[in-house]
Structures are given as structure tokens and as C-alpha cells.
Amino acid sequence: LNGDRTYYADGYLVHNKGPGGGGCFVKGTLIDMADGTTKEITSIKVGEETKGGRVMAKLEFEPTTVYNYKDVLVSGSHLVMEDNQLVEIQNSKHAILTDRIEPVYCFETTENRIWVKDIEFGDYLSGSHEDWEPYMEIMRNKVNGEIRNRHQKV
């Protein structure tokens, strides 16, 4: 994990959402599905179609502080579409810090979005693989350099 909270995993550059892990939504959050229904976040399986795209990965994070964003309980570092741009919940004019600290759950989806109560949130990566590609090469070079240095010391 670098000082800028990024790391390289399984071929993807990932941004760690900050202290206390990463995350998204608390257990019990109802996710808007592609067919117009809602489904509880922890019951959604990889491959299911949500309004934000097909779920490609599921993540569960250590307990973190929780905000109330328009009656959606979500981590402060998560991104939401507000005034036609993605902003962190903790920087939103609509977010209220709660006294709750609990595990949070998230997805990576094909459209890089998660919809809850018709509110558009980013998914865990919040960008396409093409968007991340310029950074992936930098991270590959850095990680490979660290691996070479480690092996030279042995």
C-alpha cells in the first residue's frame, strides 16, 4: 500500500478508500436492480444485473464510520453523483455523520455505478479499466522494481 492509498491487485490499480478500509454501504441497503426491483446488498451474487451494471466482484470491509446521505447509510469515502460530478460523501452538502461504525459492502460493476433509492453512486473502482490503464503501467513498473530489489537483497 502506497502513501497515496493505492495498490496493485490482480492486474488492477485500486484506490484504498482511506482509514478503516474502504467500502460502501451497510448491511440491509437495498440496491436498485436492472429489472426495477430492489435487493439487499449482501444477498446479491456476482453475475447479477443491477441498475449500475452486472456485478463482477463483491467486497466486504472492516467497520468504518457511516454517514446518512439522503437516508442511505454509506461510508464517507464513497463517491456519489452530485451536481453532475462524483464527490466523496464526507464532502457532500447532504451528508450527515452518524455515530454508527459498522462493516460496509461494495461491488465492482460493468457500468461502474451502484444505484440506491434512485441515487447514483460510483462503484468501488468508479472508472473503466481503460480509465485506469495509464496508472496501471506506472504501478506495474513500481511493484516489479520492488520485487527485483527484494530478490537482490536475499
Side-chain angles (χ1 to χ4, degrees):
L1 189 62
N2 295 330
D4 64 356
R5 300 182 313 187
T6 58
Y7 62 96
Y8 191 69
D10 295 329
Y12 298 101
L13 176 69
V14 180
H15 179 75
N16 182 355
K17 304 288 185 169
C24 290
F25 307 97
V26 300
K27 185 175 185 172
T29 300
L30 296 177
I31 304 298
D32 297 346
M33 302 301 286
D35 64 3
T37 63
T38 59
K39 192 168 183 181
E40 196 275 329
I41 191 165
T42 62
S43 69
I44 295 173
K45 295 178 175 55
V46 170
E48 287 194 74
E49 294 287 340
T50 71
K51 185 175 177 180
R54 182 174 42 79
V55 174
M56 298 187 309
K58 291 175 56 171
L59 299 103
E60 178 180 353
F61 296 95
E62 293 180 328
T64 189
T65 55
V66 174
Y67 286 74
N68 182 325
Y69 180 87
K70 298 182 178 182
D71 293 324
V72 177
L73 298 176
V74 59
S75 63
S77 58
H78 199 76
L79 299 175
V80 64
M81 187 65 75
E82 199 171 89
D83 299 325
N84 295 315
Q85 61 183 352
L86 288 170
V87 299
E88 285 184 314
I89 293 291
Q90 62 198 3
N91 297 325
S92 167
K93 58 190 170 202
H94 301 290
I96 301 167
L97 180 62
T98 72
D99 60 357
R100 296 171 72 158
I101 297 175
E102 49 189 285
V104 288
Y105 304 85
C106 199
F107 303 128
E108 179 185 351
T109 66
T110 54
E111 301 299 320
N112 301 113
R113 294 292 180 268
I114 298 172
W115 290 81
V116 180
K117 297 184 177 183
D118 284 326
I119 302 169
E120 182 179 1
F121 294 89
D123 74 350
Y124 185 71
L125 292 179
S126 295
S128 70
H129 295 288
E130 292 79 20
D131 294 336
W132 286 97
E133 184 55 40
Y135 305 100
M136 291 171 61
E137 183 62 25
I138 293 168
M139 287 303 297
R140 277 191 292 270
N141 290 335
K142 181 175 180 173
V143 170
N144 286 333
E146 291 171 359
I147 291 169
R148 282 191 298 277
N149 288 340
R150 208 173 328 145
H151 288 286
Q152 288 174 355
K153 291 179 184 176
V154 175

